[in-house]
Amino acid sequence: MAKEYKITSLRLADLEKELNYLKTTREREIAAMIAEARSYGDLSENSEYDAAKNEQAKLYGRIAEIEEILSHAVIIEDENEASGRVGLGCTVVVEDENGKQTEYRITGSQEANPMEHKLSDDSPFGRAVVGKAAGEKFIVNAPAGSFTMKVVSVTREG
């Protein structure tokens, strides 16, 4: 069974836009780099040619990666979270044992970015908080140890 990639419709649009850019503009740029490098003569000792071919390999690798994601994408905004419980696409405010509040957005693994407070539902925090409602406490079993948090609020954009 193929892996499903849980993404938002916004991330889907970004990936489609990137794929279009890579298949058109970027592919032409790299083809021009290869053609120019070939004009320098002997390919066996041509570092410009090697560099251009490496860029082409990276380009095709990224195109394949995006196509894989798009072909197995599951849009997460369609999930019914009217219950007020934490789910994919929700923003949750949590409070730690010291009373410090932090806001996180629960995303699929393709969009997760802890530096932007976007956490995957597959992360230890995500697994612990998904399904909880405002006022509920939960335990996060993280690599650094377990800690208790409390859900302050759950909101859904859109």
Side-chain angles (χ1 to χ4, degrees):
M1 184 171 163
K3 177 169 176 41
E4 288 184 343
Y5 298 95
K6 298 174 184 172
I7 60 175
T8 61
S9 56
L10 181 64
R11 177 72 175 145
L12 179 73
D14 288 346
L15 286 172
E16 288 171 340
K17 185 175 170 184
E18 180 183 356
L19 183 63
N20 184 49
Y21 167 76
L22 293 176
K23 282 185 160 184
T24 56
T25 308
R26 188 67 184 140
E27 197 168 32
R28 283 192 299 268
E29 291 170 353
I30 291 174
M33 287 169 50
I34 291 171
E36 182 179 339
R38 274 193 182 131
S39 71
Y40 297 152
D42 183 14
L43 299 182
S44 64
E45 296 180 20
N46 188 332
S47 62
E48 288 87 359
Y49 180 77
D50 291 340
K53 290 301 275 185
N54 285 339
E55 275 299 309
Q56 185 180 46
K58 284 194 274 185
L59 170 75
Y60 290 142
R62 180 64 181 152
I63 287 172
E65 180 183 11
I66 294 172
E67 287 176 337
E68 167 72 10
I69 292 166
L70 293 177
S71 68
H72 298 97
V74 175
I75 306 302
I76 59 176
E77 267 99 2
D78 295 338
E79 292 185 5
N80 181 9
E81 294 296 337
S83 62
R85 296 192 172 276
V86 177
L88 289 164
C90 287
T91 299
V92 60
V93 176
V94 295
E95 184 175 281
D96 65 16
E97 295 156 327
N98 301 321
K100 181 180 179 228
Q101 292 189 359
T102 311
E103 182 178 282
Y104 296 104
R105 178 151 169 85
I106 306 302
T107 68
S109 59
Q110 288 293 308
E111 294 176 81
N113 184 342
M115 300 304 289
E116 295 178 4
H117 291 257
K118 294 178 180 178
L119 301 179
S120 166
D121 63 328
D122 291 331
S123 70
F125 179 88
R127 284 193 296 272
V129 75
V130 168
K132 303 295 186 274
E136 282 188 64
K137 290 188 175 186
F138 60 99
I139 297 172
V140 178
N141 296 311
S146 296
F147 52 96
T148 303
M149 307 282 289
K150 177 182 171 186
V151 177
V152 176
S153 67
V154 180
T155 56
R156 174 174 281 291
E157 284 97 41

